[in-house]
Amino acid sequence: MRISVVGCGYLGAVHAACMAKLGHDVVAIDVDEQKIAALAAANAPFYEPGLDDLLREVQVTGRLSFTTDVAAARGSVVHFICVGTPQKKGENGADLTYVDAAISGLLPYLSSGDIIVGKSTVPVGTAARLAEIIKSAEADAHLLWNPEFLREGHAVADTLLPDRIVYGVLNGAEDHDAVAVLDSVYANALAAGTPRIVTDHPTAELVKTAANSFLATKISFINAMAELCDAAGADVTQLADAIGMDDRIGRKFLNAGIGFGGGCLPKDIRAFMARAGELGADQALTFLREVDAINMRRRTRMVELARELCGGSLLGKRITVLGADFKPESDDVRDSPALSIAAQLQLQGADVTVTDPKALANASRRFPELHYVSDSTEAMASADALLLLTEWQMYQDLDPYHIAEIVASPRVLDGRNVLDPAKWRAAGWVYRGLGRP
Ligand code: UDX
């Protein structure tokens, strides 16, 4: 199948490489020349495990090309829209500029019967609006909405073998010709048993926002429990283990800590609230305001705990922050709780050093005023307190006896509740977790 992919960010670059791996002929398009040059040289412009290898593997097959020229989409049968939908500046709603530009850019190059497949996360109602634009341009193309559920850090595996595939088709018509075409694009996953749901445009759009809202709610629920555990002297980690054994609840996404960040969950719940307001259904989602508020409180709580741990004042205290990205196995610092806490500590007078195995270049572009050291041992030298804020395995594996010898004071604040308190305390550390006695 000849496929075009518009947008080469975390979603599009991985999607394009995976489609080529599955045997399709893919042209990937982006307006960013630097990004395209890097991808064409089989260098992912961001860190995603396995992506560089996959790019090299498909490059030799000649099935994947990169360009800034949208005219290269001509001749493809399926066109995937994978551009970003960031939060609007100063508003909760999603900025659809890139989605609209992708559609209008494609229109002159469509042929009769082409299929446009939206993968970007959009407010419900967007597909219907875009379908009207396509119709009024008299392009004989069908629009499907096929949301993507990939997690950063697992993006390649999640794309090649997703846990479900959702198609939003005009009026939910399962016998639509476009369904069969998309089935052949995803033939591998379908043959491997991945369930496929065909529905209408608005339901498909809502599946994505509802899923992300549920995940955000789960995290904020356990973080609210952590607040209570702190007040009552209970242990949120054991609480999560115990309630998670009920398979109606499940243990996944019940890790209390500094909360969720990244390019998806925070902006998606806000855009969902904004859209519900436009639809006159804002009451249905007022709980998401609380989910957002609980999440943001985690960051303030962490700064307060750091102050307590440092004896009541942050002024001049040397604090080492372990981890800058919003989650491990990523270099993505968009709305990273770790960086936001590091910046707050610095503003309140601490002398902050940040270390991370992958994210320092992105972090220093976002917060140039912080001090960055790539070697973690060097970063921890003479620290008055360590703050573990992103749970990279290398930080979970730190030897508390060895580290105790290089810091100025053995004090550690575990923002992800991943260290063994007994082990660290036995090595002489003052250990604090979140929602743990
Ligand atoms: C998310 C969704 O999981 C994915 O399905 C969707 O397609 C895009 O958004 P991602 O942004 O890659 O994926 O991150 P995710 O793994 O969901 O983690 C989001 C944030 O929640 C991270 O900051 C993580 O540290 C935090 N988190 C996750 C917790 O604080 N506790 C948990 O138990 C789980």
Side-chain angles (χ1 to χ4, degrees):
M1 184 88 60
R2 286 190 66 181
I3 287 175
S4 82
V5 174
V6 182
C8 292
Y10 288 92
L11 167 59
V14 174
H15 192 69
C18 289
M19 292 300 105
K21 160 103 181 161
L22 293 174
H24 303 300
D25 273 319
V26 184
V27 58
I29 304 161
D30 198 288
V31 292
D32 184 333
E33 283 176 16
Q34 271 186 335
K35 203 182 268 181
I36 288 298
L39 285 163
N43 291 319
F46 48 85
Y47 175 67
E48 180 60 41
L51 182 56
D52 275 334
D53 288 345
L54 180 60
L55 286 169
R56 274 193 292 275
E57 183 190 326
V58 290
Q59 196 179 44
V60 292
T61 68
R63 289 197 302 264
L64 177 60
S65 60
F66 292 95
T67 178
T68 54
D69 183 6
V70 69
R74 194 198 298 274
S76 289
V77 182
V78 176
H79 308 269
F80 285 102
I81 306 294
C82 295
V83 294
T85 51
Q87 188 174 339
K88 278 186 198 157
K89 289 252 176 305
E91 283 179 54
N92 272 349
D95 179 355
L96 295 175
T97 316
Y98 306 111
V99 172
D100 290 355
I103 296 286
S104 56
L106 272 178
L107 284 175
Y109 305 107
L110 295 176
S111 310
S112 177
D114 277 8
I115 298 166
I116 303 176
V117 184
K119 294 196 78 67
S120 310
T121 302
V122 292
V124 58
T126 304
R129 182 175 64 78
L130 297 176
E132 275 307 312
I133 294 175
I134 295 165
K135 201 166 136 196
S136 56
E138 289 175 12
D140 176 25
H142 301 295
L143 178 72
L144 262 83
W145 217 265
N146 168 223
E148 183 58 62
F149 306 104
L150 64 81
R151 300 157 299 166
E152 289 180 26
H154 306 266
V156 172
D158 285 353
T159 305
L160 290 173
L161 217 52
D163 52 14
R164 78 283 209 195
I165 298 177
V166 176
Y167 304 163
V169 194
L170 190 67
N171 303 324
E174 188 147 5
D175 56 355
H176 199 290
D177 292 347
V179 169
V181 176
L182 208 50
D183 276 353
S184 45
V185 171
Y186 293 132
N188 261 50
L190 294 172
T194 300
R196 183 206 70 176
I197 291 178
V198 180
T199 180
D200 50 26
H201 280 151
T203 308
E205 293 166 314
L206 279 172
V207 168
K208 175 60 188 271
T209 22
N212 275 359
S213 298
F214 191 84
L215 293 173
T217 303
K218 215 173 167 190
I219 299 168
S220 277
F221 173 82
I222 201 66
N223 280 329
M225 293 304 112
E227 288 185 19
L228 230 59
C229 285
D230 265 339
D235 186 331
V236 73
T237 311
Q238 290 183 329
L239 176 79
D241 289 344
I243 64 171
M245 282 169 193
D246 180 335
D247 62 10
R248 292 170 303 173
I249 297 174
R251 180 62 177 84
K252 287 182 186 162
F253 269 67
L254 280 185
N255 295 321
I258 57 172
F260 59 82
C264 295
L265 299 193
K267 67 118 173 130
D268 286 353
I269 60 169
R270 292 172 195 152
F272 202 14
M273 284 186 273
R275 186 64 186 137
E278 288 167 5
L279 293 170
D282 43 345
Q283 262 195 330
L285 297 188
T286 45
F287 75 96
L288 286 179
R289 220 180 293 152
E290 197 54 40
V291 166
D292 203 358
I294 293 168
N295 193 52
M296 298 316 278
R297 265 204 313 269
R298 305 309 288 160
R299 304 178 185 190
T300 326
R301 169 83 182 135
M302 195 67 183
V303 173
E304 287 317 311
L305 273 180
R307 191 194 316 282
E308 261 177 47
L309 195 69
C310 289
S313 169
L314 288 167
L315 279 180
K317 292 286 166 22
R318 279 168 305 197
I319 292 183
T320 301
V321 166
L322 303 173
D325 18 36
F326 84 104
K327 67 191 263 193
E329 296 303 333
S330 166
D331 64 356
D332 192 349
V333 299
R334 287 176 295 171
D335 203 357
S336 163
L339 266 189
S340 138
I341 290 163
Q344 267 305 314
L345 291 167
Q346 174 101 348
L347 276 175
Q348 297 194 27
D351 175 3
V352 181
T353 299
V354 180
T355 186
D356 190 282
K358 294 287 176 195
L360 293 191
N362 286 343
S364 59
R365 270 193 291 274
R366 194 150 289 215
F367 286 106
E369 66 278 19
L370 293 169
H371 180 223
Y372 298 97
V373 173
S374 56
D375 181 84
S376 61
T377 308
E378 191 186 325
M380 289 185 282
S382 309
D384 293 311
L386 301 184
L387 266 59
L388 194 167
L389 299 188
T390 312
E391 68 278 30
W392 284 93
Q393 193 60 46
M394 63 185 284
Y395 303 143
Q396 299 189 44
D397 293 342
L398 284 173
D399 175 2
Y401 291 92
H402 172 63
I403 305 299
E405 285 168 19
I406 61 171
V407 296
S409 315
R411 294 189 276 224
V412 64
L413 191 41
D414 181 3
R416 297 290 186 174
N417 289 340
V418 288
L419 301 177
D420 177 354
K423 186 171 153 192
W424 282 71
R425 285 179 181 138
W429 288 76
V430 177
Y431 170 94
R432 290 292 301 269
L434 293 175
R436 297 175 110 177

